[in-house]
Amino acid sequence: MKSYLSIRNLNVRVKNGPVILRSVSLDVAAGQVHGLVGESGAGKSMIGKAVLGTLPRALEVTGGEIWLDGTDLLTLPPAERRRRIGATAALIPQDPLTALNPSKRIGPQITRRLVDILGWTKAEAQARALELLDEVHIPDPVRVMRSYPHELSGGMRQRILIASAFAAEPKLIIADEPTTALDVTVQKQILRLINEMQTRHGTALLFVTHDLGVVSKVCDTLSVLYAGKVVEDARMHRFFMRPIHPYSRALLAATPTYTDPTGSLTPVPETVISAVEEEVRLHDVRAGQ
Amino acid sequence: MRDARGDVKRPIGLRLWLSGGWLTLLVLAAVSAPLIAPKDPLMQDLFLGRMPPFWMAGAEPGYLLGTDSLGRDVLSRILYGARLALIVALVAGTLTCIIGATLGLMAGYYRGWTDRVISRFVDIWMAFPPVLFAILLIAVLGPGLMSIIIAIVVIDWTRFARVIRAEAMSQGAMDYVASAQVAGRTRFGTMLTEILPNVLPTIVALLTLEMGIAVIVEAILSFVNLSISTDSPTWGGMIAEGRTSVHQAWWVLVFPLITLFLTVLSFSQLGEGLKDRFDPVLR
Ligand SMILES: Nc1ncnc2c1ncn2[C@@H]1O[C@H](COP(=O)(O)OP(=O)(O)OP(=O)(O)O)[C@@H](O)[C@H]1O
Ligand SMILES: [Mg+2]
């Protein structure tokens, strides 16, 4: 299967500081959902940001390749890279509170993307935005378009951000823990919505989360990230049947739905992990043949 | 869930009414001073020295707020003084705002070496004691309207730069800024269309506050005789003169003092009121 996004040996570090991502490689096939799991601080968000070119200024890419639709983004000049990313990729962010500009109405925030990226007229963009809001099941879209972000609930804002992410028909969407900031009841609806939109639009989705329960429901493949390193890269079925890396096993054991319902995450010593890493690699090489 | 606030205009608060009303009145008075001032503010009449305001015994008709020791009409001098105070407030405030806010916005949004250069510059600048700086500057430039304005700008732009930098920095870290960039917008464009509208309420509040400060600084410099030539009436100059004869003629001191106080208070209240009104989150 052809990869739409292919990250090869990506290294990211804090300028003059610690390494954040160590030789990360992962693939998202066209139209597929790839999960990216790992504990807090593992570097999941930084992978997404490296792809979208929005890394914090304190961080730098020190090596590797990011292939998006057959082009290595890191070799493009900045303006061209921005244009390319804008036209093909989009983000569903973690925190719907800070992801909308508080001083602008919702309407222009959605239509702006269409005008910027696709060169549509304002009227065309407006019509499309209304359609999109309808598609993400927002009641009274006309009114919502005229609202300011603070007038809407978190779930509502996340729906708007989903609509906005799909607006310009990107081929890749990166969803960075899109439900963690929401109420449990709303989480399910949003998850279902993302799944529904992804299927309908045939978009490749990189789904960042630390919830394996969610991964098992929506993803086709997944990578496990531990301390800036991909420690397991597998298809869903294999992962849940035979997790190899000790961290993956700990993760699975901590997910109530799969083993005991009270499960808690047991810390894994670094030494055990490096010992098993080699084994993982060999296994995946064999599995690939 | 969302509520209906978005479509309802909130009534303008009492604070905005009062401060805005006073300042509007003052602007009108300043503009039409030659028409409405009952007397020539410079005309002396030694036979009419220290006449009390109209409601007191011995008041001279036509001199509503009394006269100073040289027999000049206090009301007319306050009206003419407003022209100078407002010119300084407007010009100095605006220039300070433009310089400080631009540098602060760039430092806070671009970070990196832009920020290092600007921040270092601000730190060095602020190491000078401001009043000494102002007096030194006017000593070099000579007293006059221009020198006062330059002195105020030179001292106060750092306040804008620091506050706006901090604000731009916190806005710049938000996801909506990253989203704008993912949509292919340039960094400069993002700064203008995404960051600026969100720091605007703060800029407005600082600007009006700065105008109040400019009025005070002008008054202080007039008070120590470093302002405009002594014969054009200024509030600070009037306060300085009134101080010497406060026991014989309190009105020469008190009326310009009240005017000054109300004006400075109105500027700061206007700023706060506007900030609340224009901040979409507080609105
Ligand atoms: N601006 C920054 N400067 C320095 N280090 C940073 C910066 N931003 C993030 N980091 C570091 O990068 C590492 C990875 O952060 P990242 O946000 O990718 O984690 P994450 O896996 O997304 O975690 P979470 O589940 O909490 O979102 C963390 O150790 C964090 O301390
Ligand atoms: Mg994260």
Side-chain angles (χ1 to χ4, degrees):
Chain A
M1 205 176 311
K2 188 174 158 292
S3 292
Y4 192 75
L5 170 70
S6 177
I7 301 177
R8 287 285 156 265
N9 305 316
L10 181 69
N11 288 298
V12 170
R13 58 179 300 170
V14 179
K15 285 172 190 156
N16 313 315
V19 175
I20 302 289
L21 298 178
R22 305 153 203 265
S23 198
V24 165
S25 297
L26 64 81
D27 287 277
V28 187
Q32 297 266 301
V33 184
H34 184 81
L36 180 57
V37 292
E39 61 196 17
S40 185
K44 305 182 297 293
S45 295
M46 295 308 138
I47 293 182
K49 289 184 184 211
V51 173
L52 296 172
T54 54
L55 277 178
R57 253 148 261 166
L59 269 55
E60 61 182 347
V61 175
T62 51
E65 296 155 16
I66 300 175
W67 294 86
L68 184 66
D69 198 18
T71 317
D72 181 3
L73 293 175
L74 297 178
T75 61
L76 296 176
E80 168 67 11
R81 185 189 325 170
R82 261 203 307 272
R83 208 194 53 72
R84 182 71 64 102
I85 293 169
T88 50
L91 173 77
I92 300 173
Q94 173 165 4
D95 185 359
L97 257 166
T98 66
L100 288 164
N101 190 331
S103 67
K104 288 186 175 172
R105 292 177 195 273
I106 299 298
Q109 298 200 50
I110 303 176
T111 55
R112 182 79 205 225
R113 291 182 67 81
L114 295 165
V115 175
D116 274 355
I117 298 171
L118 303 176
W120 287 13
T121 65
K122 243 184 115 180
E124 288 170 335
Q126 220 138 22
R128 176 79 181 116
L130 282 173
E131 255 175 56
L132 280 161
L133 290 183
D134 202 45
E135 210 182 320
V136 295
H137 314 300
I138 283 181
D140 201 356
V142 178
R143 179 181 181 139
V144 169
M145 294 265 282
R146 279 192 281 115
S147 307
Y148 285 95
H150 71 275
E151 295 164 11
L152 307 168
S153 68
M156 203 69 130
R157 284 186 232 188
Q158 195 59 300
R159 281 172 194 277
I160 289 164
L161 288 162
I162 291 168
S164 166
F166 281 92
E169 295 290 348
K171 297 279 173 28
L172 170 73
I173 285 184
I174 297 177
D176 190 351
E177 305 192 33
T179 58
T180 17
L182 304 172
D183 283 359
V184 185
T185 47
V186 184
Q187 282 183 356
K188 283 215 184 79
Q189 300 169 9
I190 294 294
L191 214 57
R192 205 176 309 130
L193 178 65
I194 293 176
N195 216 357
E196 174 194 327
M197 294 288 282
Q198 186 272 334
T199 315
R200 184 178 317 147
H201 292 258
T203 320
L205 181 62
L206 179 60
F207 194 92
V208 178
T209 181
H210 39 226
D211 185 346
L212 275 182
V214 168
V215 167
S216 69
K217 288 191 196 97
V218 296
C219 298
D220 303 303
T221 50
L222 97 165
S223 301
V224 178
L225 198 68
Y226 182 83
K229 245 180 136 137
V230 174
V231 293
E232 182 136 7
D233 194 357
R235 299 199 60 78
M236 289 310 300
H237 182 71
R238 200 280 269 151
F239 179 77
F240 283 103
M241 290 303 110
R242 277 182 297 126
I244 291 173
H245 197 273
Y247 177 68
S248 309
R249 288 190 199 134
L251 209 60
L252 271 176
T255 308
T257 14
Y258 293 95
T259 50
D260 72 307
T262 57
S264 66
L265 187 57
T266 29
V268 183
E270 188 90 41
T271 46
V272 180
I273 286 170
S274 39
V276 182
E277 248 151 36
E278 186 60 17
E279 191 193 323
V280 175
R281 206 179 52 75
L282 288 175
H283 175 97
D284 276 7
V285 167
R286 262 181 264 122
Q289 281 163 357
Chain B
M1 266 292 120
R2 80 208 173 90
D3 56 33
R5 274 182 301 170
D7 296 334
V8 184
K9 275 260 185 300
R10 224 184 50 163
I12 299 178
L14 189 66
R15 177 158 77 166
L16 267 183
W17 269 117
L18 288 178
S19 56
W22 173 258
L23 291 173
T24 310
L25 213 66
L26 205 66
V27 169
L28 288 178
V31 171
S32 56
L35 298 175
I36 60 169
K39 305 284 174 198
D40 177 347
L42 301 179
M43 195 186 64
Q44 302 184 5
D45 187 340
L46 293 178
F47 295 107
L48 287 175
R50 291 181 187 160
M51 289 294 160
F54 69 91
W55 67 85
M56 286 172 63
E60 180 73 14
Y63 294 87
L64 280 179
L65 300 182
T67 62
D68 64 10
S69 50
L70 296 176
R72 295 174 297 191
D73 181 34
V74 170
L75 176 59
S76 303
R77 288 176 70 73
I78 288 179
L79 291 176
Y80 273 88
R83 308 187 109 188
L84 200 90
L86 289 180
I87 288 177
V88 172
L90 214 68
V91 178
T94 312
L95 283 180
T96 313
C97 172
I98 290 174
I99 296 172
T102 306
L103 290 175
L105 197 60
M106 283 173 42
Y109 179 60
Y110 281 100
R111 311 290 303 276
W113 65 265
T114 318
D115 185 24
R116 278 198 292 280
V117 170
I118 294 175
S119 295
R120 192 59 45 83
F121 192 51
V122 168
D123 288 344
I124 294 172
W125 204 268
M126 294 197 18
F128 292 106
V131 175
L132 200 68
F133 205 4
I135 291 175
L136 203 72
L137 207 81
I138 290 172
V140 173
L141 296 173
L145 191 61
M146 271 322 282
S147 327
I148 296 181
I149 291 173
I150 292 175
I152 293 171
V153 174
V154 151
I155 292 166
D156 270 354
W157 69 270
T158 51
R159 185 205 335 271
F160 275 83
R162 281 159 56 101
V163 176
I164 300 302
R165 170 179 176 269
E167 194 105 327
M169 209 167 351
S170 72
Q171 291 292 334
M174 299 219 179
D175 281 338
Y176 71 83
V177 179
S179 303
Q181 271 169 27
V182 175
R185 218 105 44 90
T186 60
R187 295 196 48 202
F188 185 71
T190 311
M191 181 174 84
L192 289 190
T193 58
E194 305 289 326
I195 307 276
L196 186 60
N198 284 296
V199 298
L200 209 55
T202 309
I203 292 182
V204 169
L206 279 179
L207 173 63
T208 48
L209 190 67
E210 185 60 41
M211 289 180 169
I213 291 172
V215 171
I216 290 183
V217 170
E218 191 275 320
I220 291 174
L221 290 174
S222 306
F223 190 82
V224 297
N225 243 327
L226 276 175
S227 183
I228 329 299
S229 66
T230 38
D231 46 82
S232 74
T234 62
W235 295 344
M238 293 176 77
I239 292 167
E241 283 164 23
R243 195 179 49 114
T244 58
S245 60
V246 67
H247 298 296
Q248 300 85 33
W250 54 265
W251 52 89
V252 184
L253 173 70
V254 168
F255 290 125
L257 206 57
I258 291 175
T259 316
L260 180 74
F261 174 75
L262 285 178
T263 307
V264 173
L265 187 70
S266 294
F267 271 125
S268 72
Q269 291 305 305
L270 184 74
E272 287 300 309
L274 286 178
K275 184 178 159 82
D276 286 359
R277 200 165 164 72
F278 285 118
D279 196 322
V281 182
L282 297 176
R283 178 164 42 199

